[in-house]
Amino acid sequence: MNFELKALTAAAAAREKCDLLLVLVSEQTALGSDAIGTIVSHAVKQGDFALSCGKQLALYQVPAVAARRVLLLGVGAGSARDVRNALQGCAAALKAEGLEKAALHFAFEADAKAVACAVQTLGDATYAYTHTKSQAKPLSLKKVTLGVPSKTAAVAAAFEIGVAQQEGVAMAREWANRPANHATPTMLANAAKGIAKAARMSCKIHGPAEVAKLGMGAFMAVAQGSREPLRFIELHYNGGAKGDAPIVLVGKGITFDTGGISLKPAAEMDEMKFDMGGAASVLGVFQSLAKLQPAINVVGLIPACENMPDGAAVKPGDVVTSMSGQTIEILNTDAEGRLVLCDALHYAARFKPAALVDMATLTGACVIALGGLRSGLFSANDELASALQTAGDAAMDPCWRMPLDDEYADGLKSNFADMGNVAGRAAGAVTAAKFLQKFVGDIPWAHLDIAGTAWKSGAAKGATGRPVGLLLQFLLSKAASAKPVKTAKVAKAAPAPRSASTRKRAASTASKAGA
Ligand code: BES
Ligand code: MN
Ligand code: ZN
């Protein structure tokens, strides 16, 4: 989607030539005697429209309004949340056939956050998965112009971030949505290479031989039951000063999780194609960084493989040696995420990270604990935890801190190795995090369990692109607090994932069943 921001008075909004004019009217809107103001006043007086959030009034061929169609949207107090809720309700209108150009007029002084949020919501509302659909019609909407009463520097900056963020979110959704046979470890690696064509980016792909040489025995154990070769993807973005400690992001990249020999039940197993949601969010964040070119160094690591049952698959009771040298008794082959992550986390130490953050669709227990609203946040570092929580709130991609008391690790004891890969059923999300913690040493580390938030089940089944928003916000706040080092060059455009047919876009609103 093409987004444009410009200053627009109510009178100018009426003159804006487009197929659809969305007018956001808040309780603060001063209704003037211009064409739109007059209509809103009348409609409110007649009881056909109200300013409370979510109210709509569709109008056609309004006198003195250039747009073919006008949609009045009440946004209540006009907060970012109100704007999001109001815009989510007009996804269908944006996808109408023949609609090519839309304009969104803020009929009140919207703050920067509301403008960024509008862009993200429009991006979400107009995304549709088409990659493996033979009959998908392309979305006709080509451009959305956002009109604000005053285009301040803060609003313009937030707009740019919103545009980059929705592109990253769309990329994460696209890769997570693709079925496992259309999103193999090799295909994810190729996607990373595509993103890394942007300025200040590079990418290194490690195959089975390199991973064996590194001694990633835990990661290899998960991959050994699959015909698909594993990939260890390493992305670098160097926007900061040379030698500035990077933020390292690690994303779980299980492109399909059958459970392995500890096989999962058949019901809803298809959703385990989303088990690379963490990996997809790393790709999405790098796509956003490519566009924004902030002054920060970031490393992205993705251990990618399938978890399959097979004659060669790892068996319950097998003991493997992780890259750290610690041995692991694999008591349950379905607890594979922590096995691929522990080697990636150990590998991360070589970059001497300022912070290390992993994202993983790690435990069903986290879905039970927090549902689909907030991701689980685990960190022993108060400063890092609070920065991530703040970033999540600001990006409306929230998380919630969970405990990490040492006693939670008691259940990981093994009679045959340094640790088992599972504890009991109790506090399953916490014991998984305690397992990971054994591999991070004293690096400031946080773990985001996104099992409940990375995708939705049921009629709205599909990836959400979370936690791209949270991570991008976190990285940008780090970049802002660091001293500026150099002016950003213009980014080379990185290709978006290609679809079988042209991209059409759709909204998904329902939440994950049982979440
Ligand atoms: N990918 C799953 C976690 C998952 C399950 C995410 C359901 C979203 C919905 C993970 O690999 C897994 O299977 N975890 C096990 C761990 C258990 C064996 C300790 C789980 O949560 O059941
Ligand atoms: Mn599993
Ligand atoms: Zn898994």
Side-chain angles (χ1 to χ4, degrees):
M1 184 62 50
N2 254 312
F3 290 100
E4 176 196 34
L5 178 73
K6 62 180 183 189
L8 212 60
T9 60
R15 291 193 298 270
E16 186 74 15
K17 285 200 185 72
C18 56
D19 301 306
L20 171 65
L21 175 64
L22 301 166
V23 184
L24 298 182
V25 193
S26 86
E27 284 148 4
Q28 280 81 51
T29 298
L31 295 168
S33 55
D34 56 283
I36 292 168
T38 308
I39 289 178
V40 174
S41 302
H42 280 146
V44 169
K45 219 173 278 165
Q46 299 294 316
D48 292 325
F49 181 57
L51 307 182
S52 48
C53 188
K55 290 285 190 289
Q56 295 192 358
L57 181 63
L59 305 160
Y60 291 88
Q61 301 191 334
V62 180
V65 173
R68 214 154 40 86
R69 195 178 166 207
V70 178
L71 189 55
L72 304 179
L73 295 168
V75 291
S79 71
R81 194 169 297 276
D82 293 327
V83 167
R84 182 181 66 176
N85 292 343
L87 287 176
Q88 277 172 342
C90 59
L94 290 162
K95 284 181 291 188
E97 249 184 86
L99 187 141
E100 287 182 11
K101 191 178 179 304
L104 173 63
H105 173 56
F106 290 83
F108 63 102
E109 288 290 349
D111 60 22
K113 200 179 158 192
V115 172
C117 180
V119 177
Q120 179 58 61
T121 309
L122 291 168
D124 276 333
T126 53
Y127 167 85
Y129 176 80
T130 61
H131 186 62
T132 45
K133 287 189 164 186
S134 68
Q135 304 292 318
K137 276 208 208 111
L139 179 76
S140 59
L141 183 61
K142 297 285 176 295
K143 187 174 179 183
V144 184
T145 300
L146 276 75
V148 288
S150 36
K151 188 175 158 182
T152 62
V155 164
F159 169 81
E160 291 305 330
I161 293 168
V163 172
Q165 180 185 303
Q166 65 82 34
E167 208 175 286
V169 167
M171 172 166 285
R173 289 179 74 183
E174 180 61 27
W175 277 108
N177 279 334
R178 290 190 184 185
N181 63 332
H182 291 265
T184 63
T186 308
M187 293 174 193
L188 292 186
N190 289 338
K193 284 186 204 161
I195 296 165
K197 287 187 179 131
R200 296 175 179 172
M201 290 228 175
S202 64
C203 157
K204 210 189 279 177
I205 309 296
H206 308 265
E210 290 101 325
V211 165
K213 201 159 159 219
L214 287 165
M216 294 184 167
F219 178 23
M220 288 193 302
V222 176
Q224 77 188 37
S226 169
R227 309 277 173 102
E228 275 307 324
L230 63 77
R231 289 290 182 270
F232 187 71
I233 303 167
E234 184 176 332
L235 277 158
H236 291 262
Y237 169 70
N238 291 328
K242 216 175 173 144
D244 260 8
I247 307 279
V248 180
L249 305 178
V250 178
K252 172 178 173 183
I254 298 295
T255 58
F256 197 81
D257 182 12
T258 65
I261 297 300
S262 313
L263 193 63
K264 286 184 179 294
E268 278 128 49
M269 204 209 271
D270 66 288
E271 295 188 10
M272 285 298 121
K273 72 171 183 176
F274 296 118
D275 211 16
M276 34 60 77
S281 66
V282 171
L283 295 180
V285 166
F286 272 76
Q287 176 67 20
S288 300
L289 292 175
K291 205 145 183 185
L292 288 170
Q293 298 280 308
I296 187 171
N297 294 332
V298 188
V299 177
L301 301 175
I302 299 173
C305 70
E306 289 181 339
N307 184 24
M308 299 291 284
D310 181 79
V314 72
K315 302 168 292 297
D318 283 2
V319 174
V320 299
T321 304
S322 68
M323 187 183 177
S324 72
Q326 298 178 92
T327 60
I328 304 161
E329 184 184 13
I330 301 180
L331 290 162
N332 188 323
T333 65
D334 197 11
E336 85 297 340
R338 61 197 78 182
L339 296 173
V340 306
L341 290 170
C342 73
D343 280 338
L345 290 171
H346 181 81
Y347 183 84
R350 66 177 55 197
F351 304 111
K352 303 204 168 24
L356 172 60
V357 183
D358 77 74
M359 291 71 64
T361 48
L362 203 63
T363 65
C366 194
V367 188
I368 302 301
L370 296 173
L373 208 57
R374 287 177 185 263
S375 304
L377 165 65
F378 301 81
S379 181
N381 186 303
D382 290 342
E383 200 187 320
L384 179 58
S386 126
L388 288 165
Q389 178 121 28
T390 304
D393 290 342
M396 293 201 278
D397 183 358
C399 59
W400 195 258
R401 193 168 179 189
M402 303 278 275
L404 274 178
D405 305 73
D406 277 339
E407 289 81 355
Y408 282 114
D410 289 349
L412 293 169
K413 288 197 175 107
S414 161
N415 291 349
F416 303 102
D418 298 345
M419 71 194 84
N421 75 327
V422 290
R425 263 168 59 79
V430 188
T431 56
K434 289 306 286 183
F435 178 94
L436 297 178
Q437 195 179 26
K438 292 177 183 290
F439 297 85
V440 297
D442 50 16
I443 299 167
W445 159 79
H447 157 61
L448 288 164
D449 193 330
I450 56 169
T453 52
W455 78 90
K456 293 170 180 174
S457 305
K461 193 192 287 179
T464 60
R466 292 178 67 181
V468 170
L470 181 162
L471 294 169
L472 188 64
Q473 184 76 37
F474 169 69
L475 293 174
L476 293 178
S477 70
K478 286 278 168 201
S481 60
K483 46 192 180 317
V485 279
K486 50 190 167 186
T487 40
K489 289 182 282 189
V490 178
K492 280 185 278 170
R498 228 176 301 148
S499 297
S501 51
T502 324
R503 269 160 279 143
K504 186 184 86 180
R505 289 145 189 265
S508 57
T509 40
S511 65
K512 197 183 291 180

